Amino acid sequence: MKNIVITGGTSGIGLALARACRDRGDNVLIVAPDPAKGARFIEESEKKEAGKRVFFIAADLSLVSENERVLREVGEIFPTVDALVLCARFFRSYRRVTAEGFEHQFALYYLSRFLLSHGLVGPMQKAGTSAVVNVAGPGISAGRVHWDDLELTRGYDGWEAMFQGGKLNDLLGVAWAAAHGDRGIRYVLQFPGGTRTGLAGEFDPETAAQVEEMKKGATKSAEESIIPIVAVIDDPPAEPLTALWEDRFIGLEGWSFDPAAATRLHRITEDLLARR
């Protein structure tokens, strides 16, 4: 029986994973913004006589303060964490700034994953061999890091924000593994494959049409897409950092995984959080 934390666990891949882990006997804690969806998952679990093994934290993970609260509450529920699976993401065609002053996609897709993966090192180390699974799109050629404008204040584009978020998460994995890779915790950047659940977000008409076409072309159900994620949870790779496209290993030699860039981003992120 494992203790598993899943962000974005009330829909799509996150929900499919939460159900699969619950049904096989794991303890599952999901973090998501909608209390009604969380309540439905708890009710569903109680009907399966698994209510005592599931937990829900309602939180807006685009806010740093909410991530900090989640870290405290996770620690109260789970003394050890065997797996942290980061699925929360929300596409925005129009630029939005959070109440704390961060661009929304940057805050949710990157800052939250930074805070949670670093913040749960203690309980994950106590578990022995454990894994952070960052569900993103590692190593893709699209996008770049806008070092002079990380929050895209000039010429914001929703796709560019999302692709940059993928690059930031690649570098997060590199810096995280350099800092914590000797603690028995494995950091896995994983793309589970095109999934018919689509992309959650707020879209302009053109993007909405693109997303519908993407969904039509997706070949997998959420239940099929979680198979390689479950495999990582059960048997984490030997290396501190791994990038996977479904279940296939990706080399870490490309510019997406540059150690100097990862160190630079880590320092910028720490400075941003300190100034907040």
Side-chain angles (χ1 to χ4, degrees), residues 110-119 172 266 269-270 273:
Y110 170 64
L111 280 184
S112 172
R113 298 183 185 213
F114 177 97
L115 290 161
L116 295 177
S117 58
H118 282 287
L172 165 58
H266 185 87
T269 305
E270 287 188 320
L273 294 170

Side-chain angles (χ1 to χ4, degrees), residues 4-9 11-24 26 28 30 41 83-87 133 135 190 222-223 225-231 233:
I4 300 172
V5 178
I6 305 169
T7 67
S11 61
I13 288 174
L15 177 58
L17 180 64
R19 284 171 168 162
C21 292
R22 174 201 64 195
D23 291 349
R24 71 179 193 170
D26 293 326
V28 179
I30 60 177
F41 179 72
L84 167 64
V85 186
L86 301 165
C87 294
V133 184
V135 179
Q190 188 161 28
E223 290 72 24
S225 289
I226 67 170
I227 293 172
I229 300 175
V230 172
I233 292 172

Side-chain angles (χ1 to χ4, degrees), residues 164-182:
Q164 175 182 249
K167 296 299 182 193
L168 299 180
N169 278 291
D170 287 348
L171 296 176
L172 165 58
V174 174
W176 192 99
H180 308 298
D182 60 348

Side-chain angles (χ1 to χ4, degrees), residues 255-272:
W255 61 272
S256 291
F257 308 104
D258 178 57
T263 298
R264 179 183 181 186
L265 178 63
H266 185 87
R267 289 172 178 167
I268 290 172
T269 305
E270 287 188 320
D271 184 57
L272 284 172

